[in-house]
Coordinates of all heavy atoms in Angstrom, one line a residue:
M3 N 162.1 148.8 161.8 CA 161.2 147.8 161.2 C 161.9 146.4 161.2 O 161.2 145.4 161.6 CB 160.9 148.2 159.8 CG 159.5 147.9 159.3 SD 158.3 148.3 160.6 CE 157.1 146.9 160.3
T4 N 163.1 146.3 160.8 CA 163.8 145.1 160.8 C 163.9 144.5 162.3 O 163.7 143.4 162.5 CB 165.3 145.3 160.3 OG1 165.2 146.1 159.2 CG2 165.9 143.9 160.0
F5 N 164.2 145.5 163.2 CA 164.3 145.1 164.6 C 163.0 144.5 165.1 O 162.9 143.5 165.8 CB 164.7 146.3 165.4 CG 164.8 145.9 166.9 CD1 165.8 145.0 167.3 CD2 163.9 146.4 167.8 CE1 165.9 144.7 168.7 CE2 164.0 146.1 169.2 CZ 165.0 145.2 169.6
L6 N 161.9 145.2 164.7 CA 160.6 144.7 165.2 C 160.3 143.3 164.6 O 159.8 142.5 165.4 CB 159.5 145.7 164.7 CG 158.1 145.4 165.1 CD1 158.0 145.6 166.6 CD2 157.1 146.3 164.5
A7 N 160.6 143.1 163.4 CA 160.4 141.8 162.8 C 161.2 140.7 163.6 O 160.7 139.6 163.9 CB 160.8 141.8 161.3
F8 N 162.4 141.1 163.9 CA 163.3 140.2 164.7 C 162.7 139.9 166.1 O 162.6 138.8 166.5 CB 164.7 140.9 164.9 CG 165.5 140.2 166.0 CD1 166.1 138.9 165.7 CD2 165.7 140.7 167.2 CE1 166.8 138.3 166.7 CE2 166.4 140.1 168.2 CZ 167.0 138.8 167.9
L9 N 162.2 141.0 166.7 CA 161.6 140.9 168.0 C 160.4 139.9 168.0 O 160.3 139.0 168.8 CB 161.2 142.2 168.5 CG 161.0 142.4 170.0 CD1 162.4 142.2 170.7 CD2 160.5 143.8 170.3
L10 N 159.5 140.1 167.0 CA 158.3 139.3 166.9 C 158.6 137.9 166.7 O 158.0 137.0 167.1 CB 157.4 139.9 165.8 CG 156.8 141.2 166.2 CD1 155.9 141.8 165.0 CD2 155.9 141.1 167.4
A11 N 159.7 137.6 165.9 CA 160.1 136.3 165.6 C 160.8 135.6 166.8 O 160.6 134.4 167.0 CB 161.0 136.3 164.4
A12 N 161.5 136.4 167.6 CA 162.3 135.9 168.6 C 161.5 135.6 169.9 O 161.8 134.7 170.7 CB 163.5 136.8 168.9
L13 N 160.5 136.5 170.2 CA 159.9 136.4 171.5 C 159.3 135.0 171.8 O 159.5 134.5 172.9 CB 158.8 137.5 171.6 CG 159.4 138.9 171.9 CD1 158.3 139.9 172.0 CD2 160.2 138.9 173.2
P14 N 158.5 134.4 170.9 CA 158.0 133.1 171.2 C 159.1 132.1 171.5 O 158.9 131.2 172.4 CB 157.3 132.7 169.9 CG 157.0 133.9 169.2 CD 158.1 134.8 169.5
T15 N 160.2 132.2 170.9 CA 161.3 131.3 171.1 C 161.9 131.5 172.5 O 162.3 130.6 173.2 CB 162.5 131.6 170.1 OG1 161.9 131.9 168.9 CG2 163.4 130.4 170.0
L16 N 161.8 132.7 173.0 CA 162.3 133.0 174.3 C 161.3 132.7 175.4 O 161.5 132.9 176.6 CB 162.6 134.5 174.4 CG 163.7 135.0 173.5 CD1 163.9 136.5 173.5 CD2 165.1 134.3 173.8
G17 N 160.1 132.1 175.0 CA 159.2 131.7 176.0 C 158.2 132.8 176.4 O 157.4 132.6 177.3
T18 N 158.2 133.9 175.7 CA 157.3 134.9 176.0 C 155.9 134.6 175.5 O 155.8 134.2 174.3 CB 157.7 136.3 175.5 OG1 159.0 136.5 175.9 CG2 156.8 137.4 175.9
Q19 N 154.9 134.7 176.3 CA 153.5 134.3 175.8 C 152.7 135.6 175.7 O 152.7 136.3 176.7 CB 152.9 133.4 176.7 CG 153.5 132.0 176.7 CD 152.7 131.0 177.6 OE1 152.3 131.4 178.7 NE2 152.4 129.9 177.1
F20 N 152.0 135.7 174.6 CA 151.1 136.8 174.5 C 149.7 136.2 174.5 O 149.2 135.7 173.5 CB 151.3 137.7 173.3 CG 152.5 138.5 173.4 CD1 153.6 138.3 172.7 CD2 152.6 139.5 174.4 CE1 154.8 139.0 172.8 CE2 153.7 140.3 174.5 CZ 154.8 140.0 173.7
K21 N 149.0 136.1 175.6 CA 147.7 135.6 175.7 C 146.7 136.6 175.3 O 147.0 137.8 175.3 CB 147.4 135.3 177.2 CG 147.5 133.8 177.5 CD 146.9 133.6 178.9 CE 147.8 132.5 179.6 NZ 147.9 132.7 181.0
Q22 N 145.5 136.2 174.9 CA 144.4 137.1 174.7 C 143.5 137.1 175.9 O 143.4 136.0 176.5 CB 143.6 136.6 173.4 CG 144.4 136.5 172.2 CD 144.7 137.9 171.6 OE1 143.8 138.8 171.6 NE2 145.9 138.2 171.2
L23 N 142.9 138.2 176.2 CA 141.9 138.2 177.2 C 140.7 137.5 176.8 O 140.3 137.6 175.6 CB 141.6 139.6 177.7 CG 142.7 140.3 178.5 CD1 142.2 141.8 178.7 CD2 143.0 139.6 179.8
P24 N 139.9 136.8 177.6 CA 138.7 136.1 177.2 C 137.7 137.2 176.8 O 137.7 138.3 177.4 CB 138.3 135.3 178.5 CG 139.0 135.9 179.6 CD 140.3 136.5 179.0
A25 N 136.8 136.8 175.9 CA 135.8 137.7 175.4 C 134.8 138.0 176.6 O 134.6 137.2 177.5 CB 135.0 137.2 174.2
G26 N 134.2 139.2 176.6 CA 133.2 139.5 177.6 C 133.0 140.9 177.8 O 133.8 141.7 177.3
K27 N 131.9 141.3 178.5 CA 131.7 142.7 178.7 C 132.8 143.3 179.6 O 133.1 142.7 180.7 CB 130.3 142.8 179.5 CG 129.8 144.2 179.7 CD 128.4 144.2 180.2 CE 127.9 145.6 180.5 NZ 128.3 146.2 181.7
G28 N 133.4 144.4 179.1 CA 134.5 145.0 179.9 C 135.9 144.7 179.3 O 136.8 145.4 179.7
K29 N 136.0 143.8 178.4 CA 137.3 143.4 177.8 C 137.9 144.7 177.2 O 139.1 144.9 177.4 CB 137.1 142.3 176.8 CG 138.4 141.9 176.2 CD 138.2 140.8 175.1 CE 139.5 140.4 174.5 NZ 139.4 140.2 173.0
A30 N 137.2 145.4 176.4 CA 137.7 146.5 175.7 C 138.2 147.6 176.7 O 139.3 148.2 176.5 CB 136.7 147.2 174.8
Q31 N 137.5 147.8 177.8 CA 137.9 148.8 178.8 C 139.1 148.3 179.5 O 140.0 149.1 179.8 CB 136.7 149.0 179.8 CG 135.5 149.7 179.2 CD 134.5 148.8 178.6 OE1 134.8 147.7 178.1 NE2 133.3 149.2 178.5
V32 N 139.2 147.0 179.8 CA 140.4 146.5 180.5 C 141.6 146.7 179.6 O 142.7 147.1 180.0 CB 140.2 145.0 180.9 CG1 141.5 144.4 181.3 CG2 139.2 144.9 182.0
E33 N 141.4 146.3 178.3 CA 142.6 146.5 177.4 C 143.0 147.9 177.3 O 144.2 148.2 177.3 CB 142.2 145.9 176.0 CG 142.0 144.4 176.0 CD 141.6 143.9 174.6 OE1 141.1 144.6 173.8 OE2 141.8 142.7 174.4
A34 N 142.0 148.8 177.2 CA 142.4 150.2 177.1 C 143.1 150.7 178.3 O 144.1 151.5 178.2 CB 141.1 151.0 176.8
A35 N 142.7 150.3 179.5 CA 143.2 150.8 180.7 C 144.5 150.1 181.2 O 145.3 150.7 181.9 CB 142.2 150.8 181.8
C36 N 144.6 148.8 180.9 CA 145.7 148.1 181.5 C 146.9 147.7 180.6 O 148.0 147.5 181.0 CB 145.1 146.8 182.1 SG 143.6 147.0 183.1
Y37 N 146.6 147.7 179.3 CA 147.6 147.2 178.3 C 148.7 148.3 178.2 O 149.8 147.9 177.7 CB 147.0 147.0 176.9 CG 146.5 145.6 176.8 CD1 146.3 144.7 177.9 CD2 146.2 145.1 175.5 CE1 145.8 143.5 177.7 CE2 145.7 143.8 175.3 CZ 145.5 143.0 176.4 OH 145.0 141.7 176.3
A38 N 148.5 149.5 178.7 CA 149.6 150.5 178.7 C 150.8 149.9 179.4 O 152.0 150.2 179.1 CB 149.1 151.8 179.2
C39 N 150.6 149.2 180.5 CA 151.7 148.7 181.3 C 151.7 147.2 181.5 O 152.8 146.7 181.9 CB 151.5 149.3 182.7 SG 151.6 151.1 182.8
H40 N 150.7 146.5 181.1 CA 150.7 145.0 181.4 C 150.3 144.3 180.1 O 149.6 144.8 179.3 CB 149.7 144.6 182.4 CG 150.0 145.2 183.8 ND1 151.1 145.1 184.5 CD2 149.2 146.0 184.5 CE1 151.1 145.8 185.6 NE2 149.9 146.4 185.7
S41 N 150.7 143.0 180.0 CA 150.2 142.1 179.0 C 149.0 141.4 179.7 O 148.9 141.4 180.9 CB 151.3 141.1 178.6 OG 151.6 140.2 179.6
A42 N 148.3 140.6 178.8 CA 147.1 139.9 179.4 C 147.6 138.9 180.4 O 146.8 138.6 181.3 CB 146.4 139.2 178.2
D43 N 148.8 138.3 180.2 CA 149.3 137.3 181.1 C 149.2 137.7 182.6 O 148.8 137.0 183.5 CB 150.7 136.9 180.8 CG 150.8 136.3 179.4 OD1 150.6 137.0 178.4 OD2 151.0 135.1 179.3
L44 N 149.7 138.9 182.9 CA 149.7 139.4 184.3 C 148.3 139.4 184.9 O 148.1 139.1 186.0 CB 150.4 140.8 184.4 CG 150.4 141.2 185.8 CD1 151.8 141.3 186.4 CD2 149.6 142.5 186.0
L45 N 147.3 139.8 184.0 CA 146.0 139.8 184.6 C 145.4 138.4 184.7 O 144.8 138.1 185.7 CB 145.1 140.7 183.6 CG 145.6 142.1 183.3 CD1 144.7 142.7 182.3 CD2 145.8 142.9 184.5
A46 N 145.7 137.6 183.7 CA 145.1 136.2 183.7 C 145.7 135.3 184.7 O 145.1 134.3 185.0 CB 145.3 135.6 182.3
Q47 N 146.8 135.7 185.3 CA 147.4 134.7 186.3 C 146.9 135.1 187.7 O 147.4 134.4 188.6 CB 148.9 134.7 186.2 CG 149.6 136.0 186.6 CD 151.0 136.1 186.2 OE1 151.5 135.3 185.4 NE2 151.8 137.1 186.7
Q48 N 146.1 136.1 187.9 CA 145.6 136.4 189.2 C 144.4 135.6 189.6 O 143.7 135.1 188.8 CB 145.2 137.9 189.2 CG 146.2 138.9 188.7 CD 147.5 139.0 189.5 OE1 147.4 138.9 190.7 NE2 148.6 139.1 188.8
R49 N 144.3 135.5 190.9 CA 143.1 134.8 191.5 C 142.6 135.7 192.6 O 142.8 135.5 193.8 CB 143.5 133.5 192.1 CG 143.8 132.4 191.1 CD 144.4 131.2 191.7 NE 144.5 130.2 190.6 CZ 143.6 129.3 190.4 NH1 142.5 129.2 191.2 NH2 143.7 128.4 189.5
L50 N 141.9 136.8 192.3 CA 141.5 137.8 193.3 C 140.0 137.8 193.4 O 139.3 137.6 192.4 CB 142.0 139.2 192.9 CG 143.5 139.3 192.6 CD1 143.9 140.7 192.2 CD2 144.3 138.9 193.8
T51 N 139.6 138.1 194.6 CA 138.1 138.3 194.8 C 137.7 139.6 194.3 O 138.6 140.5 194.0 CB 137.8 138.2 196.3 OG1 138.5 139.3 197.0 CG2 138.2 136.9 197.0
A52 N 136.4 139.9 194.2 CA 135.9 141.2 193.7 C 136.5 142.3 194.6 O 136.9 143.4 194.1 CB 134.4 141.2 193.7
K53 N 136.6 142.0 195.9 CA 137.1 143.1 196.8 C 138.6 143.4 196.5 O 139.0 144.5 196.5 CB 136.9 142.6 198.2 CG 136.9 143.7 199.3 CD 136.7 143.1 200.7 CE 137.1 144.1 201.7 NZ 137.1 143.4 203.1
Q54 N 139.3 142.3 196.3 CA 140.7 142.5 196.0 C 141.0 143.1 194.6 O 141.9 143.9 194.5 CB 141.4 141.1 196.0 CG 141.5 140.5 197.4 CD 142.0 139.1 197.4 OE1 141.5 138.3 196.6 NE2 142.9 138.7 198.3
W55 N 140.1 142.8 193.6 CA 140.2 143.4 192.3 C 139.9 144.9 192.5 O 140.5 145.8 191.8 CB 139.3 142.8 191.3 CG 140.0 141.7 190.6 CD1 139.5 140.4 190.5 CD2 141.2 141.7 189.8 NE1 140.4 139.6 189.7 CE2 141.4 140.4 189.3 CE3 142.0 142.7 189.4 CZ2 142.5 140.1 188.5 CZ3 143.1 142.5 188.6 CH2 143.4 141.2 188.2
T56 N 138.9 145.3 193.3 CA 138.6 146.7 193.5 C 139.8 147.4 194.0 O 140.1 148.5 193.5 CB 137.4 146.8 194.5 OG1 136.3 146.0 194.0 CG2 137.0 148.3 194.7
A57 N 140.4 146.8 195.0 CA 141.6 147.5 195.6 C 142.7 147.6 194.6 O 143.4 148.6 194.5 CB 142.1 146.7 196.8
T58 N 142.9 146.5 193.7 CA 144.0 146.6 192.7 C 143.7 147.6 191.7 O 144.6 148.4 191.3 CB 144.1 145.2 192.1 OG1 144.4 144.2 193.1 CG2 145.2 145.2 191.0
V59 N 142.4 147.6 191.2 CA 142.1 148.6 190.1 C 142.3 150.0 190.7 O 142.8 150.9 190.0 CB 140.7 148.4 189.6 CG1 140.2 149.5 188.7 CG2 140.6 147.1 188.8
E60 N 141.8 150.3 191.9 CA 142.0 151.6 192.5 C 143.5 152.0 192.7 O 143.9 153.1 192.4 CB 141.3 151.7 193.9 CG 139.8 151.8 193.7 CD 139.0 151.7 195.0 OE1 139.6 151.4 196.0 OE2 137.7 151.8 194.9
K61 N 144.3 151.0 193.0 CA 145.8 151.2 193.1 C 146.3 151.6 191.7 O 147.1 152.5 191.6 CB 146.5 150.0 193.7 CG 148.0 150.1 193.9 CD 148.6 149.0 194.7 CE 148.9 147.8 193.9 NZ 149.6 146.8 194.6
M62 N 145.9 150.8 190.7 CA 146.4 151.1 189.4 C 146.0 152.4 188.9 O 146.7 153.1 188.2 CB 145.9 150.0 188.4 CG 146.5 148.6 188.7 SD 148.3 148.6 188.7 CE 148.6 147.5 190.1
M63 N 144.7 152.8 189.2 CA 144.2 154.2 188.8 C 145.1 155.3 189.4 O 145.4 156.2 188.8 CB 142.8 154.3 189.2 CG 141.8 153.5 188.3 SD 140.1 153.4 189.0 CE 139.5 155.0 188.5
K64 N 145.5 155.0 190.7 CA 146.4 156.0 191.3 C 147.7 156.1 190.6 O 148.4 157.1 190.6 CB 146.6 155.7 192.8 CG 145.4 156.0 193.7 CD 145.8 156.0 195.1 CE 144.6 155.8 196.0 NZ 144.6 154.6 196.8
W65 N 148.1 154.9 190.0 CA 149.4 154.9 189.3 C 149.3 155.3 187.9 O 150.3 155.2 187.2 CB 150.0 153.5 189.4 CG 150.4 153.1 190.8 CD1 150.4 153.8 191.9 CD2 150.9 151.8 191.2 NE1 150.9 153.1 193.0 CE2 151.2 151.9 192.6 CE3 151.2 150.6 190.5 CZ2 151.7 150.8 193.3 CZ3 151.7 149.6 191.3 CH2 152.0 149.7 192.6
G66 N 148.1 155.6 187.4 CA 148.0 156.2 186.1 C 147.1 155.4 185.1 O 147.1 155.8 184.0
A67 N 146.5 154.3 185.6 CA 145.6 153.6 184.6 C 144.4 154.4 184.3 O 143.8 155.0 185.1 CB 145.2 152.2 185.3
A68 N 144.2 154.5 183.0 CA 143.2 155.4 182.5 C 141.8 154.7 182.5 O 141.3 154.4 181.4 CB 143.5 155.9 181.1
V69 N 141.3 154.5 183.7 CA 139.9 153.9 183.8 C 138.9 155.0 183.9 O 139.1 155.8 184.9 CB 139.8 152.9 185.0 CG1 138.4 152.4 185.1 CG2 140.9 151.8 185.0
Q70 N 138.0 155.1 183.0 CA 137.0 156.2 183.1 C 136.1 155.8 184.4 O 135.8 154.6 184.6 CB 136.1 156.2 181.9 CG 136.9 156.4 180.6 CD 137.7 157.7 180.7 OE1 137.3 158.7 181.1 NE2 139.0 157.6 180.3
P71 N 135.7 156.8 185.2 CA 134.9 156.6 186.3 C 133.7 155.7 186.0 O 133.4 154.8 186.8 CB 134.5 158.0 186.8 CG 135.6 158.9 186.3 CD 136.1 158.2 185.0
A72 N 133.1 156.0 184.9 CA 131.9 155.2 184.5 C 132.2 153.7 184.2 O 131.3 152.9 184.2 CB 131.2 155.9 183.3
D73 N 133.5 153.5 183.9 CA 133.9 152.1 183.5 C 134.5 151.3 184.6 O 134.7 150.1 184.5 CB 135.0 152.2 182.4 CG 134.4 152.6 181.0 OD1 133.2 152.6 180.9 OD2 135.2 153.1 180.2
K74 N 134.7 152.0 185.8 CA 135.4 151.3 186.8 C 134.7 150.0 187.3 O 135.4 148.9 187.4 CB 135.5 152.3 188.0 CG 136.4 151.7 189.1 CD 136.5 152.8 190.3 CE 136.7 152.0 191.6 NZ 136.5 152.9 192.8
Q75 N 133.4 150.0 187.5 CA 132.7 148.8 187.9 C 132.7 147.7 186.9 O 132.9 146.5 187.2 CB 131.3 149.1 188.4 CG 130.7 148.1 189.3 CD 131.6 147.8 190.5 OE1 132.1 148.7 191.2 NE2 131.9 146.5 190.8
V76 N 132.6 148.1 185.6 CA 132.6 147.2 184.5 C 134.0 146.5 184.4 O 134.0 145.2 184.3 CB 132.4 148.0 183.1 CG1 132.5 147.0 182.0 CG2 131.0 148.6 183.2
V77 N 135.0 147.2 184.6 CA 136.4 146.7 184.7 C 136.6 145.7 185.8 O 137.0 144.6 185.6 CB 137.4 147.8 184.8 CG1 138.8 147.3 185.1 CG2 137.5 148.6 183.4
I78 N 136.1 146.1 187.0 CA 136.2 145.2 188.2 C 135.4 143.9 188.0 O 135.9 142.8 188.3 CB 135.8 146.0 189.4 CG1 136.8 147.1 189.8 CG2 135.7 145.0 190.6 CD1 136.3 148.1 190.8
D79 N 134.2 144.1 187.5 CA 133.3 142.9 187.3 C 134.0 141.9 186.3 O 133.9 140.7 186.5 CB 131.9 143.4 186.8 CG 131.1 144.1 187.8 OD1 131.5 144.0 189.0 OD2 130.1 144.7 187.5
Y80 N 134.5 142.5 185.2 CA 135.2 141.6 184.2 C 136.3 140.8 184.8 O 136.4 139.6 184.7 CB 135.7 142.5 183.0 CG 136.5 141.7 182.0 CD1 135.8 141.1 181.0 CD2 137.9 141.6 182.1 CE1 136.6 140.3 180.0 CE2 138.6 140.8 181.2 CZ 137.9 140.2 180.2 OH 138.7 139.5 179.3
L81 N 137.2 141.6 185.6 CA 138.4 140.9 186.2 C 137.9 139.9 187.2 O 138.5 138.8 187.2 CB 139.3 142.0 186.8 CG 139.9 142.9 185.8 CD1 140.5 144.2 186.5 CD2 141.0 142.2 185.0
A82 N 137.0 140.2 188.0 CA 136.5 139.3 189.1 C 135.9 138.1 188.5 O 136.0 137.0 189.1 CB 135.6 140.1 190.1
K83 N 135.1 138.3 187.4 CA 134.4 137.2 186.8 C 135.4 136.2 186.2 O 135.2 135.0 186.4 CB 133.5 137.7 185.7 CG 132.7 136.6 185.0 CD 131.7 137.2 184.0 CE 131.1 136.1 183.2 NZ 130.5 136.5 181.9
H84 N 136.4 136.7 185.5 CA 137.3 135.8 184.8 C 138.5 135.3 185.6 O 139.0 134.2 185.4 CB 137.8 136.4 183.5 CG 136.6 136.6 182.5 ND1 136.0 135.6 181.8 CD2 135.9 137.8 182.2 CE1 135.0 136.1 181.1 NE2 135.0 137.4 181.3
F85 N 139.0 136.3 186.4 CA 140.3 136.0 187.1 C 140.0 136.0 188.6 O 140.8 136.7 189.4 CB 141.4 137.0 186.7 CG 141.4 137.1 185.2 CD1 141.4 138.3 184.6 CD2 141.5 136.0 184.4 CE1 141.4 138.5 183.2 CE2 141.6 136.1 183.0 CZ 141.5 137.4 182.4
G86 N 139.0 135.3 189.1 CA 138.7 135.2 190.5 C 139.4 134.0 191.1 O 140.2 133.4 190.5
P87 N 139.0 133.7 192.3 CA 139.6 132.5 193.0 C 139.4 131.2 192.2 O 140.2 130.3 192.4 CB 138.8 132.5 194.3 CG 138.3 133.8 194.6 CD 138.0 134.4 193.2
A88 N 138.4 131.1 191.4 CA 138.2 129.9 190.6 C 138.7 130.0 189.2 O 138.3 129.3 188.3 CB 136.7 129.6 190.5
N89 N 139.7 131.0 189.0 CA 140.3 131.2 187.7 C 140.7 130.0 187.0 O 141.5 129.2 187.4 CB 141.5 132.1 187.9 CG 142.2 132.5 186.6 OD1 141.9 132.0 185.6 ND2 143.1 133.5 186.7
K90 N 140.0 129.8 185.8 CA 140.4 128.5 185.0 C 141.4 128.8 184.0 O 141.8 127.9 183.3 CB 139.1 128.0 184.4 CG 138.5 128.9 183.3 CD 137.3 128.2 182.7 CE 136.3 129.1 182.0 NZ 136.7 129.9 180.9
F91 N 142.0 130.0 183.9 CA 143.0 130.3 183.0 C 144.4 130.0 183.5 O 145.4 130.0 182.8 CB 142.9 131.8 182.5 CG 141.6 132.0 181.8 CD1 140.6 132.6 182.5 CD2 141.4 131.7 180.5 CE1 139.3 132.9 181.9 CE2 140.2 131.9 179.9 CZ 139.1 132.5 180.6
T92 N 144.5 129.8 184.8 CA 145.8 129.5 185.4 C 145.7 128.2 186.1 O 145.2 128.1 187.2 CB 146.1 130.6 186.4 OG1 146.2 131.9 185.8 CG2 147.5 130.4 187.1
P93 N 146.2 127.2 185.4 CA 146.2 125.9 186.1 C 147.2 125.9 187.3 O 148.3 126.4 187.1 CB 146.6 124.9 185.0 CG 147.1 125.7 183.9 CD 146.8 127.1 184.1
T94 N 146.8 125.5 188.4 CA 147.7 125.5 189.5 C 148.2 124.1 189.8 O 147.3 123.2 190.0 CB 147.1 126.0 190.8 OG1 145.8 125.5 190.9 CG2 147.1 127.5 190.9
A95 N 149.4 123.8 189.7 CA 150.0 122.5 190.0 C 150.5 122.6 191.4 O 151.6 123.2 191.6 CB 151.0 122.2 189.0
T96 N 149.8 122.0 192.3 CA 150.3 122.0 193.7 C 150.7 120.6 194.1 O 150.1 119.6 193.6 CB 149.3 122.6 194.7 OG1 148.1 121.9 194.5 CG2 149.1 124.0 194.4
K97 N 151.7 120.5 194.9 CA 152.2 119.2 195.3 C 152.3 119.2 196.8 O 153.0 120.1 197.3 CB 153.5 118.9 194.6 CG 153.7 117.4 194.2 CD 154.8 117.2 193.3 CE 156.2 117.6 193.8 NZ 157.3 117.3 192.9
P98 N 151.8 118.3 197.5 CA 151.9 118.3 199.0 C 153.4 118.2 199.3 O 154.2 117.4 198.6 CB 151.2 117.0 199.4 CG 150.3 116.6 198.3 CD 150.9 117.2 197.1
V99 N 153.8 118.9 200.3 CA 155.2 118.9 200.7 C 155.6 117.4 201.2 O 154.8 116.8 201.9 CB 155.5 119.9 201.9 CG1 156.9 119.7 202.4 CG2 155.2 121.3 201.4
G100 N 156.7 116.9 200.7 CA 157.2 115.7 201.2 C 156.7 114.5 200.4 O 157.0 113.3 200.7
K101 N 155.9 114.7 199.3 CA 155.4 113.6 198.5 C 156.0 113.6 197.1 O 156.5 114.6 196.7 CB 153.9 113.7 198.4 CG 153.3 113.4 199.8 CD 151.9 112.9 199.7 CE 151.4 112.5 201.1 NZ 150.0 112.4 201.2
Ligands
HEC214 C1 150.9 153.2 184.6 C2 151.2 151.8 184.5 C3 150.2 150.8 185.0 C4 148.9 150.7 184.5 C5 148.2 151.5 183.4 C6 148.3 149.5 185.1 N1 149.2 149.0 186.0 FE1 149.1 147.3 187.1 N2 150.9 147.5 187.8 C7 151.8 148.6 187.5 C8 153.1 148.3 188.2 C9 154.3 149.2 188.1 C10 152.9 147.1 188.9 C11 154.0 146.4 189.7 C12 153.7 146.6 191.2 C13 154.4 145.6 192.0 O1 155.6 145.2 191.7 O2 153.8 145.3 193.0 C14 151.6 146.6 188.7 C15 151.1 145.5 189.2 C16 149.8 145.0 188.9 C17 149.3 143.7 189.4 C18 150.1 142.7 190.3 C19 149.7 142.8 191.7 C20 149.9 144.0 192.4 O3 149.0 144.5 193.0 O4 151.0 144.6 192.4 C21 148.1 143.6 189.0 C22 147.1 142.4 189.2 C23 147.8 144.7 188.1 N3 148.9 145.5 188.1 C24 146.6 145.0 187.5 C25 146.3 146.1 186.7 C26 145.0 146.3 186.1 C27 143.8 145.4 186.2 C28 145.2 147.4 185.3 C29 144.1 148.1 184.5 C30 142.9 148.6 185.2 C31 146.5 147.9 185.5 N4 147.2 147.1 186.4 C32 147.0 149.0 184.9 C33 151.5 149.6 186.7 C34 150.4 149.8 185.9

């Protein structure tokens, strides 16, 4: 218990961020299936098309993500909607080379 309190107090100092997933249809299913191994940050920093999310979710299911077959499309739709190529949760700072 003491250790947990220490950990919770120390993590923000160490720069660890615990983001929340944006609200929407499929959020609960994503949390149930993906939080076993990932924090929201890993999901929120992606910029994948629906096709790429399909491949990723299928790969994760092979690795043990507990996505119910009936929820698979809901999960993919949620991820593709929020964390697609136009993902607004990950600001990209790009700088032309040489400038
Ligand atoms: C059983 C553990 C486990 C679960 C559950 C899991 N993942 Fe993963 N995931 C991994 C591992 C391990 C990696 C690291 C693979 C690597 O280094 O490329 C990973 C990597 C990823 C990546 C990084 C890109 C890639 O393809 O490697 C994404 C995106 C991802 N997972 C999404 C998800 C989503 C979405 C879910 C829920 C549907 C999920 N994961 C559930 C184990 C898991």
Side-chain angles (χ1 to χ4, degrees):
M3 216 42 218
T4 317
F5 179 69
L6 184 66
F8 166 75
L9 200 64
L10 290 176
L13 283 177
T15 324
L16 297 173
T18 307
Q19 290 185 316
F20 289 111
K21 257 189 219 146
Q22 299 287 316
L23 287 177
K27 186 171 180 278
K29 181 182 179 216
Q31 288 88 336
V32 168
E33 288 178 346
C36 314
Y37 274 15
C39 300
H40 300 301
S41 69
D43 296 69
L44 179 112
L45 307 178
Q47 71 196 9
Q48 308 294 324
R49 290 170 171 267
L50 305 180
T51 62
K53 200 176 163 193
Q54 291 169 317
W55 270 122
T56 305
T58 299
V59 168
E60 283 170 357
K61 182 167 84 172
M62 295 302 142
M63 286 168 78
K64 284 195 199 118
W65 291 357
V69 180
Q70 302 306 313
D73 290 339
K74 188 179 151 193
Q75 200 54 49
V76 175
V77 164
I78 292 167
D79 289 347
Y80 175 88
L81 293 165
K83 180 177 171 198
H84 296 285
F85 314 127
N89 185 347
K90 63 177 159 62
F91 298 98
T92 301
T94 40
T96 52
K97 217 165 63 175
V99 175
K101 292 205 173 160

